[in-house]
């Protein structure tokens, strides 16, 4: 047996053990790494506000604390407003449930020629097996819901804590990163950092504008229809539809439809039609203009990046996909050499004119070759 074979086997086993250990550690820490990544993008988003306050003489720690306090107060106000709206609506629905049930029974008896009564329906519901199973599952799931809420609060606290340190110690973090790089690389890292700040802030700015427009538009509709809690529902639709990726539009429209249904079932249909129509207007009119001015990324690229981010990192990937792709696109654009575009009509989509120009060029070249051949034969 060669002398190097035992050492090679030991080295291969050691590398395999290190790979397995690294893979195990990565899977154990994937949640923490995603929270840190989300906190980093959150710190990039508030960096412009913190930087302006620090430029006026305020300490970065105090400026970061004020910005985060404003964000937390706004979030707490939104949750409190939404909670009071839901609580009031649930109380109204419980109080008016007999009336809803009577109207439904009367409609069923008129259209299907039945003889149902409220007592029979209530008795059948109370004695049904699925209701008893639902109550049992709900009682056993209270602990799971509490555990999920506590876990979500802990993750949120972790994200805000890391984001606070990233924003407050931003200059120190950049100096520490640049201290291990040569001067040429330092400039590239600082440039990429500034691009990331601009693109992330621009993305949130565009989302905020679209949330404002969406909230106002839906608030006007709810006021016209007489749907209760119109201001709160407008805020709900604006924020949820813009800041929850992929399914935000459906979540935003479900609650107003449910509340409108308690007023008049046709109002729920009108709300659904308006949500669908407004979503199309937003996708093809508002979002391309705002995105091109603030994030400078094609709508198709933005849509593809959200799908890819969701496939890779879930909801976190969908949330940070657009600013990440915009940052990468802007950073790579500085290193891609661009040339002047030819004046060929086919560039603008005029295929017929382009083919005619090409035919004239080919004819001219053919005539030149024939003239050259005749001159050579004469010589």
């Amino acid at each position: 047996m060669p002398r190097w074979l035992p050492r090679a086997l030991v080295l291969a086993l050691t590398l395999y053990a290190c790979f397995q250990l690294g893979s195990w550690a990565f899977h154990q820490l994937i949640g923490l790494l995603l929270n840190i990544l989300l906190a980093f993008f959150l710190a990039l988003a508030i960096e412009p506000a913190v930087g302006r306050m620090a430029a006026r003489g305020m300490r970065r720690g105090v400026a970061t604390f004020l910005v985060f306090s404003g964000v937390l107060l706004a979030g707490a106000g939104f949750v409190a407003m939404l909670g009071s709206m839901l609580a009031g609506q649930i109380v109204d629905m419980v109080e008016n449930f007999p009336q809803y049930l009577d109207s439904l029974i009367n409609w069923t008896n008129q259209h299907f020629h039945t003889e149902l009564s409220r007592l029979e329906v209530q008795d059948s519901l109370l004695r049904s097996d699925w209701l008893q199973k639902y109550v049992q599952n709900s009682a056993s799931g209270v602990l799971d819901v509490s555990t999920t809420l506590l876990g979500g609060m802990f993750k949120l606290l972790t994200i805000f804590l890391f984001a606070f340190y990233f924003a407050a110690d931003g200059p120190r973090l950049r100096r520490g990163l640049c201290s291990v790089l040569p001067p040429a690389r330092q400039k590239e890292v600082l440039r990429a950092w500034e691009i990331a700040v601009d693109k992330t802030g621009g993305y949130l700015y565009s989302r905020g504008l679209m949330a404002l427009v969406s909230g106002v538009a839906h608030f006007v509709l709810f006021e016209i229809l007489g749907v209760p809690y119109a201001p709160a529902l407008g805020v709900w639709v604006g924020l949820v539809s813009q800041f929850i990726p992929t399914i935000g539009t459906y979540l935003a429209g479900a609650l107003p439809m449910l509340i409108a249904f308690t007023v008049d079932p046709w109002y729920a249909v009108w709300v659904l039609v308006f949500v669908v129509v407004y979503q199309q207007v937003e996708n093809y009119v508002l979002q391309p203009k705002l995105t091109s001015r603030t994030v400078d990324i094609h709508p198709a690229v933005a849509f593809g990046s959200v799908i890819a981010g969701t496939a890779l990192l879930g909801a976190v990937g969908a949330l940070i996909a657009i600013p990440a792709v915009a940052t990468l696109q802007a950073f790579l654009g500085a290193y891609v050499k661009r040339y002047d575009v030819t004046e060929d009509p086919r560039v603008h989509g005029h295929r017929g004119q382009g083919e005619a120009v090409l035919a004239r060029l080919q004819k001219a070249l053919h005539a030149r070759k024939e003239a050259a051949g005749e001159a050579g034969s004469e010589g």
Side-chain angles (χ1 to χ4, degrees):
M1 184 175 59
R3 296 181 179 180
W4 55 267
L5 185 57
R7 296 181 180 179
L9 292 176
V10 171
L11 180 60
L13 292 175
T14 302
L15 292 177
Y16 179 75
C18 291
F19 173 77
Q20 292 294 330
L21 180 62
S23 177
W24 173 82
F26 177 78
H27 285 88
Q28 294 295 321
L29 299 176
I30 185 65
L32 178 61
L33 295 177
L34 289 178
N35 292 337
I36 293 176
L37 181 62
L38 190 58
F40 179 71
F41 274 91
L42 180 59
L44 292 179
I46 67 171
E47 175 65 26
V50 174
R52 292 191 188 97
M53 298 172 70
R56 296 179 179 178
M58 186 179 295
R59 297 180 58 184
R60 287 189 65 90
V62 177
T64 306
F65 176 78
L66 292 177
V67 173
F68 268 106
S69 298
V71 173
L72 290 176
L73 287 176
F78 172 70
V79 172
M81 179 178 61
L82 181 63
S84 62
M85 178 190 67
L86 290 177
Q89 194 64 31
I90 290 174
V91 171
D92 294 340
M93 291 179 63
V94 172
E95 292 178 352
N96 298 326
F97 180 77
Q99 300 177 5
Y100 299 146
L101 187 58
D102 287 339
S103 62
L104 180 61
I105 291 173
N106 293 332
W107 183 87
T108 304
N109 290 334
Q110 291 176 2
H111 289 79
F112 296 97
H113 305 289
T114 57
E115 296 181 357
L116 298 176
S117 64
R118 187 206 303 176
L119 295 178
E120 294 178 356
V121 174
Q122 290 179 350
D123 186 63
S124 61
L125 288 175
L126 292 176
R127 294 182 178 180
S128 60
D129 294 336
W130 69 268
L131 182 60
Q132 296 177 1
K133 292 180 180 179
Y134 177 76
V135 173
Q136 294 175 358
N137 294 333
S138 300
S140 62
V142 171
L143 182 60
D144 296 336
V145 173
S146 302
T147 304
T148 303
L149 290 176
L150 290 177
M153 293 179 63
F154 180 75
K155 289 182 179 180
L156 190 63
L157 179 62
T158 303
I159 292 172
F160 273 98
L161 184 62
F162 276 106
F164 179 85
Y165 283 118
F166 285 151
D169 291 340
R172 185 185 304 177
L173 181 62
R174 287 191 287 268
R175 287 196 299 269
L177 183 61
C178 292
S179 64
V180 297
L181 298 173
R185 297 296 182 184
Q186 293 179 16
K187 294 181 180 179
E188 294 180 0
V189 169
L190 293 176
R191 182 179 182 181
W193 193 293
E194 291 300 322
I195 292 176
V197 170
D198 294 338
K199 296 303 179 181
T200 305
Y203 171 70
L204 292 181
Y205 174 73
S206 62
R207 287 294 175 181
L209 284 179
M210 287 191 291
L212 178 62
V213 175
S214 177
V216 171
H218 287 84
F219 165 73
V220 172
L221 173 68
F222 300 150
E223 282 289 334
I224 294 175
L225 296 178
V227 178
Y229 307 102
L233 288 176
V235 175
W236 163 265
V237 173
L239 293 180
V240 173
S241 62
Q242 301 302 324
F243 290 99
I244 295 183
T246 308
I247 61 173
T249 302
Y250 309 103
L251 292 178
L255 182 60
M257 287 176 56
L258 178 62
I259 296 179
F261 184 83
T262 61
V263 180
D264 190 335
W266 283 106
Y267 288 176
V269 177
W270 284 111
V271 171
L272 175 61
V273 172
F274 184 83
V275 168
V276 173
V277 172
Y278 180 82
Q279 187 65 30
Q280 302 305 314
V281 173
E282 180 184 279
N283 291 338
Y284 294 102
V285 178
L286 294 177
Q287 186 171 349
K289 293 182 178 180
L290 292 176
T291 303
S292 61
R293 293 183 180 180
T294 56
V295 187
D296 193 19
I297 182 173
H298 194 274
V301 178
F303 182 71
S305 64
V306 170
I307 295 178
T310 304
L312 293 175
L313 300 177
V316 176
L319 189 62
I320 66 176
I322 293 180
V325 171
T327 301
L328 182 62
Q329 176 180 299
F331 185 72
L332 294 178
Y335 298 94
V336 176
K337 186 177 181 180
R338 298 183 179 273
Y339 301 91
D340 294 333
V341 180
T342 180
E343 296 298 331
D344 195 319
R346 288 172 294 179
V347 174
H348 304 285
H350 305 298
R351 294 185 59 188
Q353 297 180 8
E355 292 174 356
V357 171
L358 183 61
R360 287 197 297 269
L361 290 175
Q362 291 178 348
K363 185 176 181 180
L365 291 175
H366 184 68
R368 183 176 298 179
K369 289 181 179 179
E370 290 181 351
E374 293 176 357
S377 61
E378 291 177 358

